[in-house]
Amino acid sequence: MHQIIPVQINKYFLAALSSFIIWGFFSLALKPLHDYPSLDILFYRVFFATVLLLLISAFLRRKVVLRDWLALQQLTQKERIKALFLTVVGGFLLIINWFLFIYAINHVSLQSASFAYMICPIITTILAFIILKEQLSKWQWFSVVLCVISCALLSMGHVTELMYSLTIAFSFAFYLISQRKNSLFDRFNILTVQMLIASLVSIPFFPEYSGPIPTASLFYILLMVVVVVFTIIPLFLNLYALKGMNSSEVGILMYTNPLIHFFLAIFYFKEEMNVVQISSYLLILISIVIFNEKVLFRKQSIQA
């Protein structure tokens, strides 16, 4: 007979779960900053996080940095180019994803950000099928179809929200897939380099597109919370989890994020939801269960 046992809980599982739970409450720190331009929040988030990571690396993790630097020198030219390419691409994808996420929460709706991370696991798996050649079962393809139908329902009268949701989801899905293969170096070092890349990308745009330098102390207090609690900690946990988990297992835990967004939007921020939107969310939840049935409930044969 078959016994159904839950997915194995280990340090990678806990790291991934913790990262998405933390990100689920991100809007609580962002909403009080809604009067500030999205680009300003992004600029200062990236700059502050980069400085903090560089200080930690310079004073607390010099041996680890040196070890990875020596390891980089020992790689073949092909391996070195691949590792550097994946790291650089990750930095670009992060800053694109962050800007769209911040803009969606403060200027579109919390629901658009939430829906992005509802469909992100499905998109991740489709891209993994195309790029990484991972196979999908018939039931998983059926769940993908349900997801497409849900997107169609959401787009009825909400085309702008759908476009933001899809763009946010695709950018993070590409990030997960690229970093799944970027496993040669310490994850904290990878994160530090990616944040440095994000800062270098942002600097040329800062003089032209940033507003007046904020003077309110609340801005800097909330920004430090965003940098430490909602940037460095969950990103490191997420990268660490990818070291020991495949994309489908991470995908299950990603649903923690939008579900928290969903309940915050309704019960805390009092956002209105119509029947079509609720139906699309329910359809996504059904597709989630179907898609992840084998991972949520692993079947193991035992003697009766």
Side-chain angles (χ1 to χ4, degrees):
M1 61 178 293
H2 292 287
Q3 180 185 30
I4 298 179
I5 61 175
V7 61
Q8 182 183 5
I9 297 178
N10 53 37
K11 59 184 179 180
Y12 301 112
F13 181 96
L14 291 175
L17 177 62
S18 299
S19 69
F20 291 119
I21 289 177
I22 292 171
W23 271 328
F25 291 96
F26 191 16
S27 58
L28 295 180
L30 280 182
K31 273 296 185 180
L33 296 172
H34 72 276
D35 289 332
Y36 295 91
S38 298
L39 275 176
D40 277 4
I41 299 173
L42 177 65
F43 285 142
Y44 288 106
R45 180 189 186 188
V46 170
F47 296 154
F48 278 40
T50 303
V51 170
L52 185 57
L53 286 170
L54 288 174
L55 289 174
I56 293 173
S57 297
F59 292 101
L60 301 177
R61 309 185 81 252
R62 281 181 289 183
K63 291 183 178 180
V64 181
V65 173
L66 179 60
R67 185 189 65 196
D68 274 1
W69 175 255
L70 294 175
L72 179 64
Q73 305 307 311
Q74 295 173 359
L75 295 177
T76 64
Q77 184 178 7
K78 183 178 180 180
E79 291 173 332
R80 191 181 302 120
I81 292 174
K82 179 182 178 182
L84 292 175
F85 174 77
L86 291 174
T87 302
V88 171
V89 166
F92 276 95
L93 289 173
L94 273 182
I95 196 167
I96 292 171
N97 179 263
W98 288 355
F99 171 72
L100 292 173
F101 182 82
I102 293 171
Y103 186 86
I105 285 182
N106 284 347
H107 301 287
V108 183
S109 73
L110 182 59
Q111 295 166 29
S112 64
S114 176
F115 191 77
Y117 290 103
M118 291 287 280
I119 61 178
C120 186
I122 304 294
I123 293 175
T124 301
T125 305
I126 294 176
L127 293 177
F129 171 78
I130 297 172
I131 299 172
L132 304 179
K133 308 303 180 184
E134 294 181 4
Q135 297 302 309
L136 298 178
S137 68
K138 292 180 180 179
W139 282 108
Q140 287 175 320
W141 279 118
F142 177 65
S143 71
V144 171
V145 172
L146 290 181
C147 183
V148 172
I149 295 174
S150 176
C151 289
L153 287 174
L154 188 68
S155 66
M156 296 171 59
H158 299 275
V159 177
T160 301
E161 290 186 2
L162 179 63
M163 291 300 102
Y164 277 105
S165 297
L166 288 174
T167 307
I168 293 169
F170 267 103
S171 61
F172 196 71
F174 276 119
Y175 177 76
L176 286 179
I177 289 175
S178 65
Q179 300 315 297
R180 183 72 179 89
K181 292 295 184 180
N182 193 12
S183 58
L184 295 178
F185 304 107
D186 178 82
R187 294 294 183 170
F188 194 92
N189 288 340
I190 291 175
L191 177 59
T192 302
V193 173
Q194 289 177 341
M195 292 305 304
L196 182 59
I197 292 169
S199 290
L200 293 175
V201 172
S202 303
I203 287 174
F205 299 98
F206 182 74
E208 179 71 22
Y209 295 100
S210 64
I213 296 177
T215 57
S217 59
L218 179 62
F219 175 84
Y220 294 100
I221 293 173
L222 289 174
L223 192 67
M224 288 308 298
V225 172
V226 168
V227 167
V228 177
V229 179
F230 295 106
T231 303
I232 294 176
I233 293 176
L235 270 179
F236 173 73
L237 290 173
N238 200 255
L239 286 173
Y240 179 77
L242 286 170
K243 186 177 180 180
M245 297 177 66
N246 60 38
S247 57
S248 63
E249 290 172 330
V250 174
I252 292 175
L253 301 180
M254 194 186 303
Y255 299 126
T256 308
N257 186 334
L259 288 176
I260 294 174
H261 283 175
F262 179 78
F263 287 111
L264 285 176
I266 296 176
F267 298 109
Y268 187 81
F269 294 112
K270 307 300 182 182
E271 291 188 7
E272 295 183 0
M273 295 192 70
N274 57 39
V275 175
V276 173
Q277 288 175 304
I278 294 175
S279 299
S280 67
Y281 272 96
L282 291 176
L283 202 56
I284 281 288
L285 290 175
I286 294 172
S287 70
I288 289 169
V289 174
I290 294 174
F291 186 87
N292 296 290
E293 181 269 339
K294 289 185 178 180
V295 182
L296 286 170
F297 303 102
R298 294 177 178 175
K299 294 182 179 179
Q300 187 178 67
S301 296
I302 61 173
Q303 294 293 328

